[in-house]
Amino acid sequence: MSDSEQFASDNYSGICPQAWAAMDEANRMDEPAYGEDIWTARAADGLRALFDTDCDVFFTFNGTAANSLALASIGQSFHSVICHELAHIETDECGGPEYASNGSKLLPGEGRDGKLTPDSIEHLVTKRTDIHYPKPKAVSITQATEVGTVYTPDEIRAIRAVADKHKLNIHMDGARFANAVAALGVHPAEVTWKAGVDVLCFSGTKNGLAVGEAVVFFNRALAEDFEWRCKQAGQLASKMRFISAPWCGLMEDETWLGNARHANACADRLARGLLDIEGVSLRYPRQANGVFVELPQPVQDGLRANGWRFYNFIGGCSRLVCSWSTTEAQVDRFLADVRGLVE
Amino acid sequence: MSDSEQFASDNYSGICPQAWAAMDEANRMDEPAYGEDIWTARAADGLRALFDTDCDVFFTFNGTAANSLALASIGQSFHSVICHELAHIETDECGGPEYASNGSKLLPGEGRDGKLTPDSIEHLVTKRTDIHYPKPKAVSITQATEVGTVYTPDEIRAIRAVADKHKLNIHMDGARFANAVAALGVHPAEVTWKAGVDVLCFSGTKNGLAVGEAVVFFNRALAEDFEWRCKQAGQLASKMRFISAPWCGLMEDETWLGNARHANACADRLARGLLDIEGVSLRYPRQANGVFVELPQPVQDGLRANGWRFYNFIGGCSRLVCSWSTTEAQVDRFLADVRGLVE
Amino acid sequence: MSDSEQFASDNYSGICPQAWAAMDEANRMDEPAYGEDIWTARAADGLRALFDTDCDVFFTFNGTAANSLALASIGQSFHSVICHELAHIETDECGGPEYASNGSKLLPGEGRDGKLTPDSIEHLVTKRTDIHYPKPKAVSITQATEVGTVYTPDEIRAIRAVADKHKLNIHMDGARFANAVAALGVHPAEVTWKAGVDVLCFSGTKNGLAVGEAVVFFNRALAEDFEWRCKQAGQLASKMRFISAPWCGLMEDETWLGNARHANACADRLARGLLDIEGVSLRYPRQANGVFVELPQPVQDGLRANGWRFYNFIGGCSRLVCSWSTTEAQVDRFLADVRGLVE
Amino acid sequence: MSDSEQFASDNYSGICPQAWAAMDEANRMDEPAYGEDIWTARAADGLRALFDTDCDVFFTFNGTAANSLALASIGQSFHSVICHELAHIETDECGGPEYASNGSKLLPGEGRDGKLTPDSIEHLVTKRTDIHYPKPKAVSITQATEVGTVYTPDEIRAIRAVADKHKLNIHMDGARFANAVAALGVHPAEVTWKAGVDVLCFSGTKNGLAVGEAVVFFNRALAEDFEWRCKQAGQLASKMRFISAPWCGLMEDETWLGNARHANACADRLARGLLDIEGVSLRYPRQANGVFVELPQPVQDGLRANGWRFYNFIGGCSRLVCSWSTTEAQVDRFLADVRGLVE
């Protein structure tokens, strides 16, 4: 892929070479549909090996569906989901979770740097217990968060403790799970089932696929009949191998982790470069592959005039996201442009 | 792709070369997400040109979703959808349309060779009009049908007449729309908007894509805010270009039609070959890319023992489906095997 | 109540004296809302005593809601419900069960005299097990049936056996449960939990209330958080005592059973009288409070011209329903009119 | 009804004499079901006369259902509803609107004294217009509000102006609509259709019925097929006359308005009495039948120890609600108790 003038999103990126090669291989012959091909079994086994546990694995087309269906498998329509007020499922899914669950309310909680706190969960569960208030059944946390920060294993375990107290299941929105694992430098098990996560939506798309998310149930009771749920919801691919084979590509030689490390490293280079510039500050600590930076409006305007694409976040700070395909040269060009505009 | 020993389904096939090439081209650089890339606009324009009308075009991941969301855009939860009793939406979507519409009932109608008749529609609309019966709002027809037959433009116009009488909108499940157009030898407009179809779900997957269906609204009022519906339902691809670019590939040089003609020709060769065999008969007339054949049980067993994959249909006849990737050699091998087993 | 010229439905009847008196008593002072009044607890206890078991009891406004919510508590949207093809939930609820469950399909089964057979259930469960077919999770039977017949305890136990085999829960639509108990002359427990029913929707409305059905969970695990389900679905009465107090009235001195016996006796008198008339025959055996009679069209027309109201059923037979408020004089007037018209 | 020791809610009250008398009259003979009786037509005509316009009228069992179904008739699942952050539909319906609409999000807005402002609506509509944000389609206002205040006709017209600008429909939650009309001293038309309200949910229950709300569509296009919606959702009463006849009772001699005036007058007496007590203040202006008062905790405890029932509201103030059945003696006893506890 050629170089790019964007930090708009990691979903602007394309298909990474390893995923492409696997897709190519899967295209060499006809294969049974609906996941009965050889690739889908292999990809699911690969994820079980990756997490080092006997989890149940399903593939959906995108993250909206993965998150919405996983949450629907936890609660009924009259239950509620506690999440951070900045959570993607609350702010950017156009009511996807409410639709898949037929009406579950999301209860927005709080916490610094986009991270939901046990206290906030406790408050939302205990402030009311009457039947006019939808009964909390799930906690959803995003790893890495929407503002580029990362929950530590200890932080997740603390959430597990309050979840246990109130019989809640924990859903992890892993749109950037790979980046979080890369940032923390831990085994994937440490921030999932070993810390008490019941179900993880692990994004392949942002990590280098064309399409395809893995829904990984560590709490296998929640996965009961989940394949029917996917089918009914329009999330069962007939040519499933074109989702699962690329996942095999991602898992070979830990490509998923390499892609994430690369994106994080680019973000780190970008963040450091920005902090070196007078008058530029970060809104949130840079921990994964996103950089949230306060740039004067003229600088933002100038960058956009120069052809750079990026989005602004709540409060007006600029969100810069790196991906597997971001290049150092691109980072450096951006920094040079910022420097030129600041002066 | 290498040769194959299956007539199980056209969704066992892979990605056709033209779609692959377009996907490759779309992968050369980063592109905006959620359909704001250059490919998606081009694919939608291509479909408008193909149908020679100013329709509204959306892309979904699969056919379950395309059909379910298109039907949901026609009626409310308390409305009903009239379809043939063999319709895929009734028999094989695990309640997908009921889910997307939050409860619309499907009213199964009748007709020879899998084709719904105007009389059957009339009967289902008029037999009851009380509020305990869900009010019919949509007619859904499948083109080509689930049993491989094809509605003529006249037959569709006759359905339009009864639909007009009762203020129904017409949905066309086009899982094998290309094969129907190829079989009829008409312009695509003749069997869609010119015959009174309001919305068509045009399958790319069965025609040679990895994933991706086009929902084409000829009745543009029905398309109001449909992009939000797709988003909420988990049907908005972030890397949309990997759905739309392959559609561009399909439309270049009428590849979609060439693929369909090839599949139909293989089915024709297969049907003719089978009819030449003593004691073998077809259950339904062969018109598109499926052959529904009555084979003695020992012959079926023998074919499966020889490694052939195919499904049996209602009543026990065998369904043999050809695709863009079926080869004449494969057809001939199959016929030889049948002949060997019959004797 | 004054005499009436209708056999249209038992829901044309009014409020029986005992229910009225209880409502009057409940209206003497303010009471807590949402079921925290003294009457609701008393009514639930009364139902537990009536069934001689520690069941969970909830009250909803009507039968559509009771049945739809009870079924939704058994399965998820992608599950299915097996019921008789004549079942009210299939033919007359305008998609209510599909709506409450967010898309569960009903699978219509068969059986003589409106009674679903174990074989038909077995067939619907086993004919397909793929994910394109919604997985059966519930069996729904109507007691008394839509055609006025009654399941014996043995018949229900036979259904329980097949349900156990396939892990299905049994829902009983008890729109005319009281009439069935009166007809069978058994203890209510014998045709419910002792025969394997998981949840019963026991109609008060048809038995003499203004409004209000009891949802009785013998399988208490299914009742988890059911009060939230009722609340969300708009089925939690604020002034609940005006539903529950009349239920207390019905249960005092076995009024519910007396009302049902009276209705059944009227139906018996009506059926016997009709059978005495030359050329008149019954379509279904008269067992509860409904009489399904084949009347020549001129006789039907004549009766209607004389002011009688009644509905025709599938196939054209006339459905005559008696209630707690039907009188012998009314039955005799009707019979005299039929005789006059037949001659 | 006897005197009471509660200000907990107006839904603790019973059935007012005029409603009771009408119910009694409706119980004198059998009547057709499902609203085809003489009372339902009369009640609907009565409401048309009351509002002096040709509106469409439907009856539901309770307010949760009335509001949820009315909102569902305005938008699709992917649309959103703007309401005040204190709105009952947001805080106390356990996800009822989300359930009935299959996933519409509520967007909580702001405004002093529980009244949504045009600016807040404008902000919520314009802050985002992308497809990841559910498109606003409805504004819901509560009249009288949840904190006992009342929108003036001018305030509603100002909301209408911003609604017109953005093509929004206005829903009015009229749980205490009668109290608002009584407080404002205007014709009901002035605060509904003449001010731009599209659909009103007019509560009968809080005004003196056992059960039953009127859904009044001034914008009749929104009412299309609404009877089917009610049926499917379990909101069609079979013995409808026991909802509609009491409504006739309420409308005779303007009982509804008399009941509301009485409740408001009691609240006024209560508020004035409280303000005369040293150290007691009101949290919100007393305008309708609710008094929101800041009482020291020991006073609250003392009142409850004396047998008084009332709820606390957000922030800890006490909510005291008067109804048609509240008596001056009861108000005076309460005031005496407060005075005794304060000293």
Side-chain angles (χ1 to χ4, degrees):
Chain A
M1 278 176 57
S2 77
D3 216 359
S4 157
E5 302 296 304
Q6 67 87 15
F7 289 100
S9 181
D10 31 8
N11 60 30
Y12 277 45
S13 69
I15 303 169
C16 72
Q18 298 86 343
W20 185 271
M23 201 156 61
D24 191 19
E25 199 184 333
N27 198 33
R28 285 179 205 156
M29 60 182 67
D30 287 5
E31 283 270 6
Y34 302 118
E36 297 182 9
D37 60 277
I38 56 164
W39 297 94
T40 303
R42 197 182 298 172
D45 284 342
L47 281 158
R48 279 185 278 270
L50 191 153
F51 285 103
D52 196 19
T53 189
D54 195 15
C55 46
D56 281 339
V57 176
F58 304 87
F59 297 97
T60 67
F61 291 112
N62 71 3
T64 305
N67 287 325
S68 299
L69 298 182
L71 288 167
S73 76
I74 293 179
Q76 298 294 310
S77 60
F78 45 86
H79 288 136
S80 55
V81 176
I82 293 172
C83 63
H84 196 278
E85 60 192 337
L86 295 179
H88 196 82
I89 56 168
E90 166 66 11
T91 64
D92 281 270
E93 294 295 22
C94 195
E98 291 88 342
Y99 169 81
S101 63
N102 198 21
S104 291
K105 270 187 104 74
L106 305 189
L107 306 181
E110 296 173 353
R112 236 188 115 173
D113 293 339
K115 293 195 277 183
L116 190 64
T117 62
D119 281 357
S120 182
I121 296 167
E122 177 79 22
H123 171 68
L124 287 166
V125 176
T126 58
K127 77 172 185 173
R128 285 178 62 183
T129 56
D130 59 273
I131 51 176
H132 310 285
Y133 183 69
K135 191 175 176 176
K137 202 83 176 178
V139 170
S140 176
I141 55 179
T142 311
Q143 175 79 314
T145 73
E146 288 75 7
V147 298
T149 55
V150 176
Y151 288 91
T152 65
D154 278 352
E155 286 172 332
I156 299 171
R157 277 192 293 266
I159 287 173
R160 178 73 259 171
V162 70
D164 278 342
K165 188 171 159 194
H166 299 295
K167 298 186 182 163
L168 308 172
N169 282 306
I170 299 180
H171 162 260
M172 180 173 274
D173 176 349
R176 294 179 182 95
F177 177 74
N179 304 93
V181 170
L184 289 163
V186 297
H187 189 278
E190 295 297 324
V191 280
T192 54
W193 62 275
K194 287 190 177 171
V197 171
D198 292 289
V199 54
L200 165 72
C201 297
F202 186 171
S203 178
T205 310
K206 290 195 171 73
N207 194 253
L209 302 191
V211 60
E213 316 291 294
V215 182
V216 183
F217 285 94
F218 303 110
N219 178 342
R220 297 175 65 190
L222 295 177
E224 192 185 342
D225 295 341
F226 194 75
E227 55 271 50
W228 275 268
R229 191 182 290 279
C230 289
K231 165 66 197 185
Q232 183 182 42
Q235 292 294 326
L236 177 67
S238 56
K239 297 185 179 177
M240 180 73 95
R241 70 188 188 274
F242 295 114
I243 292 181
S244 53
W247 264 100
C248 293
L250 278 191
M251 283 184 285
E252 215 173 285
D253 301 324
E254 296 200 319
T255 296
W256 67 279
L257 198 54
N259 282 352
R261 282 179 183 143
H262 173 83
N264 289 5
C266 288
D268 183 50
R269 184 182 187 91
L270 183 58
R272 289 173 190 276
L274 286 165
L275 285 171
D276 279 348
I277 301 170
E278 179 82 22
V280 171
S281 65
L282 297 191
R283 174 76 164 277
Y284 299 104
R286 195 297 304 168
Q287 296 179 346
N289 64 321
V291 179
F292 292 74
V293 60
E294 314 270 10
L295 292 172
Q297 190 62 46
V299 175
Q300 294 182 35
D301 295 344
L303 287 164
R304 290 198 166 99
N306 287 359
W308 291 102
R309 294 194 64 143
F310 54 92
Y311 290 105
N312 276 17
F313 197 70
I314 296 166
C317 74
S318 298
R319 187 189 80 153
L320 308 172
V321 189
C322 299
S323 79
W324 70 269
S325 69
T326 304
T327 62
E328 288 196 2
Q330 173 187 343
V331 170
D332 294 344
R333 279 203 310 279
F334 185 84
L335 289 170
D337 273 13
V338 176
R339 277 189 295 265
L341 287 157
V342 164
E343 280 152 21
Chain B
M1 276 174 60
S2 75
D3 215 359
S4 155
E5 302 297 302
Q6 67 87 14
F7 290 100
S9 182
D10 31 6
N11 60 32
Y12 277 45
S13 69
I15 304 169
C16 72
Q18 299 86 342
W20 185 271
M23 202 156 60
D24 190 21
E25 198 183 333
N27 198 33
R28 285 180 203 153
M29 61 182 67
D30 287 6
E31 282 271 4
Y34 302 117
E36 297 183 9
D37 59 277
I38 57 165
W39 298 94
T40 303
R42 198 182 297 172
D45 284 343
L47 281 158
R48 279 184 279 270
L50 192 154
F51 286 103
D52 196 20
T53 189
D54 195 15
C55 46
D56 281 338
V57 176
F58 304 87
F59 297 98
T60 66
F61 292 112
N62 71 3
T64 306
N67 287 325
S68 300
L69 297 182
L71 288 168
S73 77
I74 294 178
Q76 298 293 308
S77 60
F78 44 86
H79 289 135
S80 55
V81 176
I82 293 172
C83 63
H84 196 279
E85 58 191 337
L86 295 179
H88 195 83
I89 56 168
E90 167 65 11
T91 64
D92 282 271
E93 294 296 24
C94 194
E98 291 88 342
Y99 169 81
S101 64
N102 197 21
S104 291
K105 270 186 105 73
L106 306 189
L107 306 180
E110 297 172 353
R112 237 187 113 171
D113 293 340
K115 293 195 277 183
L116 190 64
T117 62
D119 281 357
S120 181
I121 297 167
E122 177 79 22
H123 171 69
L124 287 166
V125 176
T126 58
K127 76 171 188 176
R128 286 178 60 182
T129 56
D130 59 274
I131 51 176
H132 311 283
Y133 183 69
K135 192 175 176 177
K137 201 80 175 180
V139 171
S140 176
I141 54 178
T142 311
Q143 177 77 315
T145 72
E146 288 76 8
V147 297
T149 56
V150 176
Y151 288 91
T152 65
D154 277 353
E155 286 172 331
I156 300 171
R157 276 192 295 268
I159 287 173
R160 177 74 260 169
V162 71
D164 278 343
K165 189 173 158 193
H166 299 294
K167 297 186 181 163
L168 308 171
N169 282 307
I170 298 180
H171 162 260
M172 180 173 273
D173 176 348
R176 294 179 182 96
F177 179 73
N179 304 92
V181 170
L184 289 162
V186 297
H187 190 278
E190 296 296 324
V191 279
T192 54
W193 64 275
K194 286 189 178 171
V197 171
D198 293 289
V199 55
L200 166 71
C201 297
F202 187 171
S203 177
T205 311
K206 289 197 171 72
N207 195 251
L209 301 191
V211 61
E213 317 292 293
V215 183
V216 183
F217 285 95
F218 303 110
N219 178 343
R220 297 176 63 191
L222 295 177
E224 191 184 343
D225 296 341
F226 194 75
E227 55 270 50
W228 275 268
R229 191 183 290 279
C230 290
K231 165 66 197 183
Q232 183 182 43
Q235 292 293 327
L236 177 67
S238 57
K239 298 184 178 177
M240 180 72 94
R241 70 188 187 275
F242 294 115
I243 292 181
S244 53
W247 264 99
C248 292
L250 278 191
M251 283 185 284
E252 215 173 285
D253 300 325
E254 297 200 319
T255 295
W256 67 279
L257 198 52
N259 282 352
R261 281 179 183 145
H262 172 82
N264 290 5
C266 288
D268 184 50
R269 184 182 188 91
L270 182 58
R272 288 174 190 275
L274 286 164
L275 285 171
D276 279 348
I277 302 171
E278 178 82 23
V280 172
S281 66
L282 297 192
R283 174 77 166 274
Y284 300 105
R286 197 296 305 167
Q287 296 180 346
N289 64 322
V291 179
F292 292 74
V293 60
E294 313 272 9
L295 292 173
Q297 190 62 47
V299 175
Q300 294 181 35
D301 296 344
L303 288 164
R304 291 199 166 99
N306 288 358
W308 290 103
R309 294 195 63 143
F310 54 91
Y311 290 105
N312 276 18
F313 197 68
I314 295 166
C317 74
S318 297
R319 189 189 79 152
L320 308 172
V321 190
C322 299
S323 79
W324 69 269
S325 70
T326 304
T327 62
E328 289 196 2
Q330 174 188 343
V331 169
D332 294 343
R333 278 203 309 279
F334 185 84
L335 290 171
D337 274 12
V338 175
R339 276 189 297 265
L341 287 158
V342 163
E343 283 153 19
Chain C
M1 277 175 59
S2 76
D3 214 359
S4 156
E5 302 298 302
Q6 67 87 15
F7 289 99
S9 181
D10 31 5
N11 61 30
Y12 276 45
S13 69
I15 304 168
C16 73
Q18 297 85 344
W20 184 271
M23 199 156 63
D24 190 21
E25 198 184 332
N27 198 33
R28 285 181 203 153
M29 61 182 67
D30 287 5
E31 283 270 3
Y34 301 117
E36 297 183 9
D37 60 277
I38 56 164
W39 298 93
T40 303
R42 197 181 298 173
D45 284 342
L47 281 158
R48 280 184 277 270
L50 192 153
F51 285 103
D52 196 20
T53 189
D54 195 14
C55 46
D56 281 339
V57 176
F58 304 87
F59 296 97
T60 66
F61 291 113
N62 71 4
T64 306
N67 287 326
S68 299
L69 298 182
L71 288 168
S73 76
I74 293 178
Q76 299 293 309
S77 60
F78 45 85
H79 289 136
S80 55
V81 176
I82 293 172
C83 62
H84 195 277
E85 59 191 337
L86 295 179
H88 195 83
I89 57 169
E90 167 65 11
T91 64
D92 280 271
E93 295 295 22
C94 195
E98 291 88 343
Y99 169 82
S101 63
N102 198 21
S104 292
K105 269 186 105 72
L106 305 190
L107 306 180
E110 297 172 352
R112 237 188 114 172
D113 293 340
K115 294 195 277 183
L116 190 64
T117 62
D119 281 357
S120 182
I121 296 167
E122 177 79 23
H123 171 70
L124 287 166
V125 177
T126 58
K127 76 171 186 174
R128 286 179 60 183
T129 56
D130 59 274
I131 51 176
H132 310 284
Y133 183 70
K135 191 176 177 175
K137 200 81 174 180
V139 171
S140 177
I141 55 178
T142 311
Q143 176 79 315
T145 73
E146 288 76 7
V147 297
T149 55
V150 176
Y151 287 92
T152 63
D154 276 354
E155 287 172 331
I156 300 171
R157 277 191 293 267
I159 287 173
R160 177 75 260 168
V162 71
D164 278 342
K165 188 172 159 194
H166 299 294
K167 296 187 182 162
L168 308 171
N169 282 307
I170 298 180
H171 161 259
M172 179 172 274
D173 176 348
R176 294 179 183 96
F177 178 73
N179 304 93
V181 170
L184 288 162
V186 297
H187 189 278
E190 296 296 325
V191 280
T192 55
W193 63 274
K194 287 190 177 171
V197 171
D198 292 289
V199 54
L200 166 72
C201 296
F202 186 171
S203 176
T205 310
K206 289 196 172 73
N207 194 253
L209 302 191
V211 61
E213 316 291 294
V215 183
V216 183
F217 286 95
F218 302 110
N219 179 343
R220 297 176 63 191
L222 295 177
E224 192 184 344
D225 295 342
F226 194 77
E227 55 269 49
W228 274 269
R229 190 182 291 277
C230 289
K231 165 66 197 185
Q232 183 182 43
Q235 292 293 328
L236 177 67
S238 57
K239 297 184 178 177
M240 180 73 95
R241 69 188 189 274
F242 294 115
I243 292 181
S244 53
W247 264 100
C248 292
L250 278 191
M251 283 185 285
E252 213 173 287
D253 301 324
E254 297 201 318
T255 296
W256 68 279
L257 198 53
N259 282 352
R261 282 179 182 145
H262 172 84
N264 290 5
C266 288
D268 183 50
R269 185 182 189 91
L270 183 58
R272 288 173 190 274
L274 287 164
L275 286 171
D276 279 347
I277 302 171
E278 178 83 23
V280 172
S281 66
L282 297 192
R283 174 75 165 277
Y284 299 105
R286 195 297 305 168
Q287 296 180 345
N289 64 321
V291 179
F292 292 72
V293 59
E294 313 272 9
L295 292 172
Q297 190 63 46
V299 175
Q300 294 181 35
D301 296 343
L303 288 165
R304 290 198 168 100
N306 287 358
W308 291 102
R309 293 195 64 143
F310 55 92
Y311 290 105
N312 276 19
F313 196 69
I314 296 167
C317 74
S318 297
R319 187 189 80 154
L320 308 171
V321 189
C322 299
S323 79
W324 69 268
S325 69
T326 303
T327 61
E328 289 196 2
Q330 175 187 343
V331 170
D332 294 344
R333 278 201 311 279
F334 185 84
L335 290 171
D337 274 12
V338 176
R339 276 190 296 264
L341 287 158
V342 164
E343 284 151 19
Chain D
M1 276 172 60
S2 76
D3 215 358
S4 157
E5 302 297 303
Q6 67 88 13
F7 290 100
S9 181
D10 31 6
N11 60 31
Y12 277 45
S13 70
I15 304 169
C16 73
Q18 298 85 344
W20 185 270
M23 202 156 61
D24 190 21
E25 199 183 332
N27 198 33
R28 286 181 203 154
M29 61 183 68
D30 287 5
E31 283 270 3
Y34 302 117
E36 296 182 10
D37 60 278
I38 57 166
W39 297 94
T40 303
R42 197 182 297 172
D45 284 343
L47 281 158
R48 279 184 277 271
L50 191 154
F51 285 103
D52 197 20
T53 190
D54 195 15
C55 46
D56 281 338
V57 176
F58 304 87
F59 297 97
T60 66
F61 291 112
N62 71 3
T64 306
N67 287 325
S68 299
L69 297 182
L71 288 167
S73 76
I74 294 178
Q76 299 293 310
S77 60
F78 45 86
H79 289 135
S80 55
V81 176
I82 293 172
C83 63
H84 195 278
E85 59 191 337
L86 295 179
H88 195 82
I89 56 168
E90 167 64 11
T91 64
D92 281 272
E93 294 295 23
C94 193
E98 291 89 342
Y99 169 81
S101 63
N102 198 21
S104 291
K105 270 186 104 73
L106 305 189
L107 306 180
E110 296 173 353
R112 234 188 116 172
D113 293 339
K115 294 195 277 183
L116 190 64
T117 63
D119 280 357
S120 181
I121 297 167
E122 178 79 22
H123 171 69
L124 287 166
V125 177
T126 58
K127 75 171 186 175
R128 287 179 59 183
T129 56
D130 58 274
I131 51 175
H132 311 283
Y133 184 68
K135 192 175 176 178
K137 201 80 175 182
V139 170
S140 177
I141 55 178
T142 311
Q143 177 77 317
T145 72
E146 287 76 7
V147 298
T149 56
V150 176
Y151 287 91
T152 65
D154 277 354
E155 287 171 330
I156 300 171
R157 277 191 294 267
I159 287 173
R160 178 74 259 169
V162 71
D164 278 342
K165 189 172 159 193
H166 299 294
K167 297 187 182 161
L168 308 171
N169 282 308
I170 298 180
H171 162 260
M172 180 172 275
D173 176 349
R176 295 180 182 94
F177 178 73
N179 303 94
V181 170
L184 288 162
V186 296
H187 189 278
E190 296 296 325
V191 280
T192 54
W193 62 275
K194 287 190 177 171
V197 171
D198 292 288
V199 54
L200 165 71
C201 296
F202 186 171
S203 177
T205 310
K206 289 196 171 73
N207 194 251
L209 301 191
V211 60
E213 316 292 294
V215 182
V216 183
F217 285 95
F218 303 110
N219 178 342
R220 296 176 63 191
L222 295 177
E224 191 184 344
D225 296 341
F226 194 76
E227 55 271 48
W228 274 269
R229 191 182 289 280
C230 289
K231 165 67 197 182
Q232 183 181 43
Q235 292 293 325
L236 178 67
S238 58
K239 297 185 179 176
M240 180 72 96
R241 70 187 188 274
F242 294 114
I243 293 181
S244 53
W247 264 100
C248 292
L250 278 191
M251 283 185 285
E252 214 173 286
D253 301 326
E254 298 201 319
T255 295
W256 69 279
L257 198 52
N259 282 352
R261 282 178 182 143
H262 172 82
N264 290 5
C266 288
D268 184 51
R269 184 183 188 92
L270 183 58
R272 289 175 190 273
L274 287 165
L275 286 171
D276 279 348
I277 301 171
E278 179 81 23
V280 172
S281 66
L282 297 192
R283 174 77 165 275
Y284 299 105
R286 196 298 304 169
Q287 296 179 345
N289 63 321
V291 179
F292 291 74
V293 59
E294 313 271 10
L295 292 171
Q297 191 62 47
V299 175
Q300 293 181 35
D301 295 344
L303 288 164
R304 291 197 167 100
N306 288 357
W308 291 103
R309 294 195 64 142
F310 54 93
Y311 291 104
N312 276 19
F313 197 70
I314 296 166
C317 75
S318 298
R319 187 189 81 151
L320 308 172
V321 189
C322 299
S323 80
W324 69 269
S325 69
T326 304
T327 63
E328 289 197 2
Q330 175 187 344
V331 170
D332 294 344
R333 277 203 311 279
F334 185 85
L335 290 170
D337 273 11
V338 176
R339 276 190 297 263
L341 287 157
V342 164
E343 281 151 23

